[in-house]
Amino acid sequence: MDNIILVAGATGDLGSRLCRHLIKNGARVRALVRAESNQKKVNDLRELGVEVIGLRFTDEEALVLACKGVSCVVSVLAGLREVIVTAQSQLLKAAVQAGVPRFIPSDFCTDFTQLQQGKNRNFDLRMEFRSVLETSNIRATSIFNGAFAYVLQYNIPLLDTKAKTITYYSGKADWRIDFTTVEDTAAFTACAALDDTAPRFLRIAGFQVSPNELEALTGRVFGEHFQLKEQGTLEQFSAYIQKLRTENPDGEHQLYPQWQQMQYLYSMFAAHHHTLDNDRYTGLSWQVAETILNEINNNKIA
């Protein structure tokens, strides 16, 4: 029987790349799209060979029908509570009713199982959905890829190419932070979606790099010295983030308010992968730190 993989969020960057890798690996792909989805992206999926199904997640009957015969549902949805908790719960319920054996939630981030609740609002939503998922009669696999490598091009404090600085927190100069490109995450996820023996958690990183290692790499790639800057303790940083969050209640309705972006940086220094599952599947290649920095230096990144 053909492997049919249902992808929710297929018009996004990760989702479209995932669909391409699934088809490359011989799977049949169904994609759930909303009526307001970008039509060009929908047409691109069809041209790729994806079966596109337009529906609303509130239409339980249509959602169950879309899940019929599917071997794995993969959610790459992005958003706040109405998406991560509500829409994924609707999708999960439909998958269970349709008899789908496996579900991969939209947990593509730092390993939030190592974090306390309240340290990252967007991760808290994933933790909330996790409690729903783990009480369901379905086998789940979460994929933690650390941070997406493209964030390094945005002059975040960890790597500020304008100020030529690398910021870290007390005692964390040798802390190795997990990064994976969107492309490599999609390739690995496609393999996991077709792997009936995939465990509950899979942890990957295209590269792991510490502030001290970044200092040496930037000197080699950019030909200039980047200054290492210690920025107090993580506890102080967390308290500052909470202060900003309290002062900006409108941010609760935004996906990436300033304080949430800071929470992602906090998470990079608060949790990392102690073991990696990169070698679970053959035929995959991983973009390394020096390649990414070269792309940033050349004003482009994959």
Side-chain angles (χ1 to χ4, degrees), residues 34-47:
R34 299 168 299 172
E36 59 270 28
S37 293
N38 182 295
Q39 198 55 49
K40 182 185 183 305
K41 292 181 178 180
V42 173
N43 290 337
D44 288 344
L45 289 173
R46 287 198 174 102
E47 289 180 10

Side-chain angles (χ1 to χ4, degrees), residues 1 4 6 30 60 63-73 90-103 136-139 196:
M1 185 176 70
I4 303 175
L6 181 72
R30 289 180 190 166
E60 183 177 337
L63 208 50
V64 172
L65 187 61
C67 290
K68 288 289 186 183
V70 167
S71 55
C72 182
V73 168
Q90 291 164 334
L91 179 60
L92 174 64
K93 181 180 178 182
V96 171
Q97 288 183 20
V100 178
R102 299 181 56 231
F103 193 100
S136 299
N137 186 26
I138 202 166
R139 285 189 292 114
D196 290 338

Side-chain angles (χ1 to χ4, degrees), residues 109-124 126-127 130 144 172 175 203 234 238 260 262-272 274:
C109 56
T110 298
D111 181 359
F112 56 71
T113 66
Q114 300 178 34
L115 297 174
Q116 294 178 352
Q117 195 161 6
K119 297 300 185 182
N120 187 305
R121 188 272 313 273
N122 290 358
F123 294 174
D124 287 347
R126 284 163 172 77
M127 291 182 195
R130 177 188 171 191
F144 294 127
K172 297 286 187 175
W175 180 264
R203 297 170 176 88
L234 268 184
S238 179
Q260 173 64 67
M262 291 181 179
Q263 286 185 333
Y264 274 108
L265 182 62
Y266 171 91
S267 299
M268 290 180 193
F269 283 97
H272 66 180
H274 301 288

Side-chain angles (χ1 to χ4, degrees), residues 161-178:
T161 59
K162 291 182 178 179
K164 304 293 187 294
T165 56
I166 297 166
T167 296
Y168 69 98
Y169 298 90
S170 298
K172 297 286 187 175
D174 290 315
W175 180 264
R176 306 196 80 207
I177 301 167
D178 305 297

Side-chain angles (χ1 to χ4, degrees), residues 11 19 22 30 36 48 88 129 142 144 146 158 163 185 196 216 224 236 240 249 265 274 288 290 297:
T11 57
C19 289
L22 284 167
R30 289 180 190 166
E36 59 270 28
L48 192 62
Q88 281 201 123
F129 178 68
S142 291
F144 294 127
L158 175 65
T185 302
D196 290 338
E224 320 180 47
Q236 290 169 331
Y240 177 67
L265 182 62
H274 301 288
V288 297
E290 190 159 349
N297 192 34

Side-chain angles (χ1 to χ4, degrees), residues 3-237:
N3 268 308
I4 303 175
I5 308 299
L6 181 72
V7 179
T11 57
D13 188 20
L14 177 58
S16 60
R17 292 172 191 250
L18 170 61
C19 289
R20 190 180 73 248
H21 281 287
L22 284 167
I23 288 173
K24 179 183 175 182
N25 290 352
R28 288 175 55 193
V29 182
R30 289 180 190 166
L32 302 182
V33 301
R34 299 168 299 172
E36 59 270 28
S37 293
N38 182 295
Q39 198 55 49
K40 182 185 183 305
K41 292 181 178 180
V42 173
N43 290 337
D44 288 344
L45 289 173
R46 287 198 174 102
E47 289 180 10
L48 192 62
V50 174
E51 177 189 357
V52 176
I53 300 175
L55 51 70
R56 295 198 176 278
F57 279 51
T58 52
D59 188 340
E60 183 177 337
E61 185 177 348
L63 208 50
V64 172
L65 187 61
C67 290
K68 288 289 186 183
V70 167
S71 55
C72 182
V73 168
V74 185
S75 170
V76 285
L77 296 169
L80 295 177
R81 174 177 298 279
E82 67 273 12
V83 176
I84 298 302
V85 179
T86 304
Q88 281 201 123
S89 293
Q90 291 164 334
L91 179 60
L92 174 64
K93 181 180 178 182
V96 171
Q97 288 183 20
V100 178
R102 299 181 56 231
F103 193 100
I104 296 178
S106 189
D107 288 345
F108 302 97
C109 56
T110 298
D111 181 359
F112 56 71
T113 66
Q114 300 178 34
L115 297 174
Q116 294 178 352
Q117 195 161 6
K119 297 300 185 182
N120 187 305
R121 188 272 313 273
N122 290 358
F123 294 174
D124 287 347
L125 296 174
R126 284 163 172 77
M127 291 182 195
E128 185 176 344
F129 178 68
R130 177 188 171 191
S131 67
V132 177
L133 180 58
E134 293 191 337
T135 59
S136 299
N137 186 26
I138 202 166
R139 285 189 292 114
T141 297
S142 291
I143 297 171
F144 294 127
N145 58 278
F148 284 116
Y150 64 73
V151 301
L152 290 171
Q153 71 179 310
Y154 294 141
N155 291 310
I156 61 176
L158 175 65
L159 179 67
D160 190 331
T161 59
K162 291 182 178 179
K164 304 293 187 294
T165 56
I166 297 166
T167 296
Y168 69 98
Y169 298 90
S170 298
K172 297 286 187 175
D174 290 315
W175 180 264
R176 306 196 80 207
I177 301 167
D178 305 297
F179 291 97
T180 315
T181 64
V182 177
E183 180 69 14
D184 290 348
T185 302
F188 185 90
T189 302
C191 294
L194 296 169
D195 176 9
D196 290 338
T197 65
R200 178 66 184 88
F201 298 106
L202 288 169
R203 297 170 176 88
I204 59 173
F207 58 93
Q208 296 175 301
V209 65
S210 70
N212 278 335
E213 289 169 331
L214 263 181
E215 182 190 26
L217 276 170
T218 51
R220 193 157 67 241
V221 172
F222 293 91
E224 320 180 47
H225 174 71
F226 279 51
Q227 181 186 357
L228 276 171
K229 287 178 58 179
E230 184 178 319
Q231 195 74 23
T233 67
L234 268 184
E235 291 74 20
Q236 290 169 331
F237 186 35

